[in-house]
Amino acid sequence: MDSKKTTVCEVLFCLALLAVFLPIKVYPLVFLLASLFFFWDTPKLLRSFWALFLVIFTGYAALIFLVDLPADRIEMTNFLKLPINFTFLYAAVGWLAQRDNSKLLHWVDITLHIALGLTLAQLLIYHEAAAFQWINGSPSSAKGSALYKPSLYFWGLADKNMFGARIALLGFAYVLLPVVRVRAIVWWRIALVLALAWLSLSRTPMVALFIGVFSLLWVSFNMRWRIVLGVIVAAALPFVAQKVIRIDTITASNDGMGVRLVYWKAFFAHFKEISPLGNGFMSGRDFLGQHAAFYHGEPHIHDTFMSCYLDFGIIGFLSYVLFLFYFYRFCLQKQANRVFWWVAGIPLLAIMMILYSGYDNDIILYLVLVFLLGSAHPIDFKQLKWRAA
């Protein structure tokens, strides 16, 4: 019976990774079902400071939400993501922390093969419909977003930046899997996820993956190869600035980064007008509409930590930051892979600084995957092998 129960849990864990890619939003049900089975298969509930601060954040967010119930169904749906995603995080990490995950690592590897393979198919279908005119990169954020035709959407997300961020996070976990399983850096995996990021036409995954891959290679290389890596990065900077970051138009009003800069400027310029208790759930729309030099209708401010403060004030901001800090400490206690935790954490922090609300399922899945990988066994990056395939 225990063996069957464990198998069901492992299947549900892998299904949760795939469910977030489906256009029909079934992932909340999968997350809830998986959480119930994780609790059932966990001998002892997890007790940790990170879970405490997660409860504080969730409880305060619920209080803010209930005090001013929104009439908008979209806001109601978005709020439900918060308790569902955080319950899945707590249940999954508690389950993973008390078992041998060697078999699960193998199944997760296969699952990510499937997820990224279908991602490649989805992106190629988009590009084929556009006659591959943007295969060498998009000249603007607007043209990149125009690639995502709703009628062609069957996998991932219909939003360019959110889909790109998912590619970056799950793609980097895919790169880290052989580092943990076979103690090797596999070059074709790096090439694949970078190609997917490029095809997404979003800067977000490219920048996050560049940072992540650079960090991974840096800690693995000796001094001689670090010098070579530094030279390659320096030589690539002009290309990255022009083709990836699009530095010439970065402050334009129709550029995604230009929009972010305007929103962040409004946040700091009108910081004193934000209530220390928070302006309310998904209050970014009203705040930006009133204070930003221009506003394109987004419900958030394109920064996880700014969004937490804007919506939930000092209590929400501090509880969320402390949740992340103590989650990192918990990971260190489980396995003292300090270098691994930093290498895995930097791309996530980079994306959180320009995207997300703090409780999106991509963040939750990445934290769970990183814990699964980093807690497996000690990793000596200097002893990693190099494989082309």
Side-chain angles (χ1 to χ4, degrees):
M1 179 63 181
D2 287 343
S3 176
K4 290 182 179 179
K5 183 168 58 176
T6 298
T7 300
V8 171
C9 288
E10 291 177 343
V11 169
L12 286 170
F13 186 92
C14 294
L15 286 177
L17 297 178
L18 296 175
V20 297
F21 285 90
L22 297 174
I24 301 173
K25 302 305 178 185
V26 298
Y27 80 85
L29 294 177
V30 178
F31 275 27
L32 287 174
L33 183 61
S35 299
L36 290 174
F37 273 87
F38 294 158
F39 283 130
W40 186 29
D41 196 41
T42 302
K44 185 179 180 182
L45 290 179
L46 189 67
R47 293 183 180 181
S48 179
F49 278 116
W50 71 263
L52 171 64
F53 286 110
L54 194 62
V55 169
I56 293 172
F57 178 83
T58 305
Y60 187 72
L63 178 63
I64 292 291
F65 179 78
L66 293 173
V67 165
D68 185 19
L69 279 173
D72 193 339
R73 183 180 175 184
I74 295 177
E75 291 187 16
M76 182 75 71
T77 302
N78 275 306
F79 174 76
L80 290 176
K81 287 166 48 177
L82 195 152
I84 291 172
N85 288 346
F86 284 159
T87 298
F88 178 80
L89 174 64
Y90 175 76
V93 171
W95 176 65
L96 293 170
Q98 302 177 58
R99 65 190 300 275
D100 178 10
N101 295 308
S102 302
K103 181 182 174 184
L104 179 61
L105 283 169
H106 171 69
W107 287 113
V108 167
D109 202 9
I110 294 174
T111 302
L112 291 182
H113 276 309
I114 296 170
L116 296 180
L118 288 171
T119 297
L120 176 60
Q122 174 69 91
L123 291 172
L124 289 177
I125 288 172
Y126 283 147
H127 279 279
E128 182 185 32
F132 294 101
Q133 61 181 318
W134 308 127
I135 201 73
N136 291 324
S138 170
S140 69
S141 294
K143 290 187 182 300
S145 297
L147 181 78
Y148 289 68
K149 302 293 185 185
S151 60
L152 301 175
Y153 166 48
F154 74 89
W155 186 255
L157 283 166
D159 180 86
K160 170 174 66 73
N161 290 326
M162 295 299 287
F163 193 21
R166 181 168 296 169
I167 289 169
L169 294 180
L170 297 191
F172 195 57
Y174 184 67
V175 169
L176 292 175
L177 262 163
V179 171
V180 174
R181 291 190 64 217
V182 295
R183 292 178 171 82
I185 295 175
V186 180
W187 289 103
W188 72 262
R189 291 194 183 219
I190 295 175
L192 174 62
V193 297
L194 286 174
L196 292 175
W198 178 264
L199 290 171
S200 74
L201 300 186
S202 173
R203 282 172 297 200
T204 301
M206 291 298 296
V207 173
L209 285 170
F210 279 148
I211 293 172
V213 171
F214 175 83
S215 301
L216 174 61
L217 297 181
W218 184 265
V219 300
S220 305
F221 282 160
N222 57 30
M223 185 55 66
R224 181 181 62 181
W225 283 106
R226 285 180 177 179
I227 294 173
V228 174
L229 178 63
V231 171
I232 293 173
V233 169
L237 279 178
F239 172 82
V240 172
Q242 290 295 325
K243 296 293 289 184
V244 177
I245 300 178
R246 297 193 294 273
I247 195 73
D248 293 339
T249 60
I250 200 168
T251 59
S253 62
N254 64 344
D255 183 89
M257 196 64 218
V259 171
R260 285 170 171 80
L261 293 174
V262 168
Y263 292 176
W264 299 341
K265 180 181 178 181
F267 176 86
F268 289 109
H270 300 275
F271 183 80
K272 292 183 179 179
E273 298 175 39
I274 302 172
S275 169
L277 298 178
N279 284 10
F281 185 68
M282 293 186 72
S283 58
R285 182 179 288 109
D286 292 337
F287 180 84
L288 294 172
Q290 182 178 354
H291 298 298
F294 53 81
Y295 177 51
H296 292 172
E298 299 95 321
H300 52 77
I301 206 164
H302 288 295
D303 181 287
T304 298
F305 304 101
M306 291 184 197
S307 292
C308 282
Y309 185 82
L310 181 62
D311 288 359
F312 308 125
I314 295 173
I315 295 174
F317 175 78
L318 287 179
S319 59
Y320 191 82
V321 170
L322 289 170
F323 147 63
L324 291 176
F325 173 75
Y326 280 104
F327 187 84
Y328 166 69
R329 291 284 299 272
F330 175 77
C331 291
L332 278 178
Q333 291 170 4
K334 181 63 178 176
Q335 193 66 256
N337 288 330
R338 188 180 299 273
V339 174
F340 176 88
W341 300 122
W342 274 102
V343 168
I346 289 173
L348 175 62
L349 286 175
I351 293 180
M352 291 172 76
M353 298 296 285
I354 58 174
L355 206 63
Y356 289 133
S357 55
Y359 42 86
D360 295 273
N361 46 44
D362 293 343
I363 295 177
I364 301 307
L365 286 178
Y366 188 71
L367 290 175
V368 171
L369 284 173
V370 165
F371 180 78
L372 168 65
L373 295 171
S375 62
H377 52 70
I379 301 169
D380 184 352
F381 283 90
K382 299 299 183 184
Q383 300 300 318
L384 294 179
K385 298 172 288 186
W386 303 87
R387 286 171 41 180

